[in-house]
Amino acid sequence: MAQQVKAVIARAKGAPVEVTTIVVPDPGPGEAVVRIQACGVCHTDLHYREGGINDEFPFLLGHEAAGIVESVGEGVTEVEAGDFVVLNWRAVCGQCRACKRGRPQYCFNTHNAKQKMTLLDGTALSPALGIGAFAEKTLVAAGQCTKVDPAAEPAVAGLLGCGVMAGLGAAINTGNVGRGDTVAVIGCGGVGGAAVMGSRLAGASRIIAVDIDDRKLETARKLGATHTVNSRTTDPVEAIRELTGGNGADVVVEAVGRPETYKQAFYARDLAGTVVLVGVPTPEMTLELPLLDVFGRGGALKSSWYGDCLPTRDFPMLIDLYLQGRLDLGAFVTETIELDAVEQAFERMHHGDVLRSVVVF
């Protein structure tokens, strides 16, 4: 039987979000209903509210979540009722050319639940990243549920569902940061901070955090940065080169997503170094670089979607490291809030006052 639950929706572009009642259908084939325990407030949700993703309003917001599987539909074998799961927005298909080549982290046909959640009047909702987890319960594709150790705190575990995984993966998976490498991270919000932490976990010898906000730089130090640069007052390219013997960093993670910061990343890397773009640009942004510099500096220019993660591989491993005390995922949780405080959390996030606000049910 379909259920009625409380949830946060964005009804129109730029309008404040609202808490309302939605209808969650029973899971169909390949689907699962998950009782949400915690969901982080991510910039992507704000992008949805502002119409920066698409115009398929009304949106059911929230996607960075953990919870308990309540029920599953026909044919589901990945999870069962009672499992503690982190939700992910890249449920791999297993059939596309990337999956068949053994590269499922690049799956070209990720999928979501086929049924729609609705408002009480029957209006179909568009769930953020196919999840919609600012809700007491949500309907997802079963492949979007990754089972992890239930000893983990939901408010911490859920962060792997998006931002923290994106940053950790940008450093470890995409950038292939290794022991003794020098790393620079430009933009030290939640994603950039996670890239700092991932670089430390991978054994980087020098980790340079770059931002215009001294509060974020101080947090980056706590997460593992060995040096900080305030790019509002200091040329970050020159500072990074100076801190790396005049050479530039082996890996530069750009976690802002703007042309000017990408150029900084490009010129702040060593010859044959790697630039990883994990910050998300807007559609109108363009980049101009001398082609001779692209050729002459060699190396690799990469973009990182979701930290090139494979949830079934990476989520359980990272949760285990957290439970062993080797990965301080709790450092990203600035505050826990109730469902009706999401709009205020957007404001604090916009002003850089938090790494993550987390809705706890």
Side-chain angles (χ1 to χ4, degrees), residues 111-242:
H111 53 281
N112 306 129
K114 290 183 170 58
Q115 297 184 87
K116 288 289 188 181
M117 292 175 279
T118 69
L119 297 175
L120 289 176
D121 64 4
T123 301
L125 293 163
S126 299
L129 292 176
I131 293 177
F134 286 151
E136 294 168 325
K137 298 178 183 180
T138 193
L139 176 76
V140 294
Q144 293 180 269
C145 301
T146 304
K147 186 177 178 180
V148 298
D149 192 324
E153 287 289 334
V156 172
L159 300 185
L160 291 179
C162 189
V164 171
M165 184 68 252
L168 286 168
I172 296 172
N173 295 335
T174 315
N176 295 313
V177 173
R179 289 170 293 181
D181 282 349
T182 56
V183 180
V185 178
I186 299 177
C188 294
V191 174
V196 168
M197 182 177 284
S199 299
R200 182 181 67 176
L201 184 68
S205 63
R206 184 160 296 196
I207 304 168
I208 305 161
V210 180
D211 204 284
I212 61 173
D213 188 332
D214 284 330
R215 297 172 300 172
K216 292 183 179 179
L217 293 174
E218 179 59 32
T219 299
R221 277 197 178 274
K222 296 176 182 177
L223 296 175
T226 59
H227 299 78
T228 60
V229 176
N230 188 318
S231 56
R232 190 185 295 276
T233 58
T234 304
D235 183 328
V237 175
E238 291 304 315
I240 292 168
R241 286 179 176 170
E242 183 177 342

Side-chain angles (χ1 to χ4, degrees), residues 272-283:
T274 299
V275 173
V276 177
L277 174 63
V278 68
V280 182
T282 55

Side-chain angles (χ1 to χ4, degrees), residues 249-252 269-275 297-301:
D250 296 307
V251 180
V252 184
R269 67 183 176 129
D270 197 356
L271 292 174
T274 299
V275 173
R297 296 186 68 80
L301 307 178

Side-chain angles (χ1 to χ4, degrees), residues 80-115:
E80 61 185 11
D83 284 346
F84 177 59
V85 297
V86 175
L87 299 184
N88 73 79
W89 47 268
R90 286 183 64 80
V92 301
C93 73
Q95 299 299 319
C96 70
R97 60 190 185 277
C99 287
K100 288 184 174 180
R101 293 174 68 189
R103 302 171 183 173
Q105 67 270 31
Y106 302 129
C107 178
F108 300 124
N109 191 32
T110 57
H111 53 281
N112 306 129
K114 290 183 170 58
Q115 297 184 87

Side-chain angles (χ1 to χ4, degrees), residues 48-66:
Y48 272 104
R49 193 200 74 174
E50 295 301 307
I53 306 294
N54 57 53
D55 60 356
E56 296 172 5
F57 290 92
F59 290 111
L60 173 58
L61 300 182
H63 61 278
E64 201 175 66

